[in-house]
Amino acid sequence: MTADEAKRQAALQALELVRPGMTLGLGTGSTAAHFVKGLGERLKEGLVIAGAVATSEATAALARAAGVTLLEPGPETRFDLAVDGADEIDPALTLIKGGGGALLREKIVAAAAVLFDVIADAGKRVPRLGRFPLPVEVTPFAWALTARKVAEALRASGCGRDILSLRQKDGAPFVTDGGNYILDCQASEIPDAPALAALLDATPGVVEHGLFIGLAHEAIVV
C-alpha cells in the first residue's frame, strides 16, 4: 500500500464517524483532502450535515467543489468532529502540524472540537517528535528578531539543534492565509514538547506554533 492509499484509507475510516446534523472542522493537507472528497461523496448519497468550517483557503475551495456547505464560525460554534492530518504523531498523541502552512486555523478548530480525530499514514508515527521541522508562524515585522528568540527557546528546552529557515515560495517568503511568515525549525528531537510550547507561547512575534498538545482525542493511522 502506498502512503497516499494509506491516507485515503484513514480518511474513509474517519468518515464513519460523521453523523447527520453534525458541524465539522475540515483540516488542510493531502490526507485531509481525502476526507473532504469522501465527505462530498457521502453528501451526494444523501447525508445531511449542519455545515463545516475549513482551516485554509485551499480546503475551502476543495469543500465548495465537493458540495460542502461552509459556515462562518461564531462565538457559540462547536465542532462535533474535526478531522485533520499530522506531520508527526507521538505515543501520547502530541502532534507536529503545520507543514501545509495552516497551523493557526487548524489549532483554532481543533481546540473547539468535541472530537478531534487525526488521520495519517503509518510513516507519521514517531517515538519522539522532532524529525519533521517544527513550523512556527511569526509576524512579518522584525521576523529575524523573533527567529533569534525562537532559536533560544529551542536550546533552552533541550532540542537537539536549532537550525531555522524562513519558509519560501517562488523565491519570496511564504505567506500564510493570515498574512504571516513561517519559520521551519530543524530541532532534530524535541525532548520536552510542553516546555518548548510554553517558551514559544511567551515569545513576542510568535503567532502560533505547530505543537498540538492535549488536543487530539484519537488517531486513525493506516
Side-chain angles (χ1 to χ4, degrees), residues 10 44 58-59 72 95 101 106 112 136 138 155 157 181 197 206 209 212:
K44 291 176 184 177
T59 296
E72 183 67 29
L95 317 173
E106 288 173 338
V136 178
V138 301
R155 289 194 294 272
S157 59
Y181 291 169
V206 170
H209 55 78
F212 282 52

Side-chain angles (χ1 to χ4, degrees), residues 83-109:
V83 177
D84 205 348
D87 299 303
E88 286 189 341
I89 308 169
D90 79 2
L93 293 187
T94 300
L95 317 173
I96 285 182
K97 288 182 50 56
L103 60 154
L104 174 59
R105 296 186 185 185
E106 288 173 338
K107 191 173 283 190
I108 290 171
V109 168

Side-chain angles (χ1 to χ4, degrees), residues 87-88 96-97 130-135 167 184-187:
D87 299 303
E88 286 189 341
I96 285 182
K97 288 182 50 56
R131 180 180 63 191
F132 188 90
L134 174 67
R167 189 176 298 185
D184 287 313
C185 306
Q186 298 277 355

Side-chain angles (χ1 to χ4, degrees), residues 5 39 66 129 138 154 164 171 187 211 214:
E5 179 60 21
L39 177 62
L129 300 179
V138 301
L154 291 169
L164 277 64
L211 289 170

Side-chain angles (χ1 to χ4, degrees), residues 6-7 22 25 56 66 87 94 98 126-127 136 144 159 163-164 173 189 215-216:
K7 293 175 183 180
M22 277 187 165
S56 67
D87 299 303
T94 300
V126 297
V136 178
C159 293
I163 301 173
L164 277 64
E189 63 176 17
L215 291 175

